[in-house]
Amino acid sequence: MPQDMSEFSKPRVNGKLLPSFQGRNVCLLGNAKDVDSNGTAFILSTSDGQDVRIIMQEPLGEYVSGLTEVHGSVDAQNNIHCQNYVAFPKEISDTFDLELYNNAVELTSRFSEFYKVGVIDQ
């Protein structure tokens, strides 16, 4: 019998979708800003313009800004408890179309029966 992959998948979401994913792992993309002075959290401005608090497991070893993808679990306050992240280089951040990305996220959410969404850890 196939294993239920939903516990391993990380669907791509925007800020508006977070409440329906509380307690689950997600992939959230946006622009990082406002890193706490102790490096334990930062704000991610999502593709739909919402500010989401990202809580780190350990303090950041680098300053994070620009286009950043966060993988983590959504808590009851719609914060993300970060398991890992990717900070993209400035040249990608400067040219990435977040509005178009947001349209794709909303389409895959609205018509989820037609899309196999998520990032599978191997």
Side-chain angles (χ1 to χ4, degrees), residues 9-119:
S9 70
K10 294 183 183 97
R12 292 186 175 275
V13 297
N14 59 20
K16 178 178 74 174
L17 295 171
L18 286 177
S20 59
F21 285 90
Q22 288 180 352
R24 293 185 51 202
N25 290 328
V26 297
C27 177
L28 186 66
L29 184 72
N31 285 304
K33 61 181 185 177
D34 300 338
V35 177
D36 284 356
S37 59
N38 59 9
T40 57
F42 63 92
I43 300 297
L44 193 71
S45 182
T46 64
S47 59
D48 62 339
Q50 296 191 29
D51 285 349
V52 175
R53 185 168 176 78
I54 309 301
I55 301 169
M56 304 304 295
Q57 292 177 358
E58 297 177 7
L60 290 163
E62 62 185 341
Y63 183 76
V64 177
S65 67
L67 190 66
T68 305
E69 181 176 272
V70 174
H71 297 203
S73 60
V74 183
D75 71 15
Q77 291 76 43
N78 297 319
N79 300 312
I80 303 289
H81 292 263
C82 183
Q83 296 160 349
N84 63 348
Y85 70 94
V86 177
F88 292 93
K90 183 173 176 15
E91 54 272 12
I92 292 175
S93 293
D94 290 346
T95 59
F96 190 83
D97 189 337
L98 266 179
E99 184 178 346
L100 187 60
Y101 174 83
N102 189 63
N103 291 341
V105 167
E106 290 192 357
L107 277 173
T108 58
S109 173
R110 191 174 313 132
F111 301 106
S112 59
E113 67 273 18
F114 300 113
Y115 295 95
K116 296 292 182 194
V117 295
V119 177

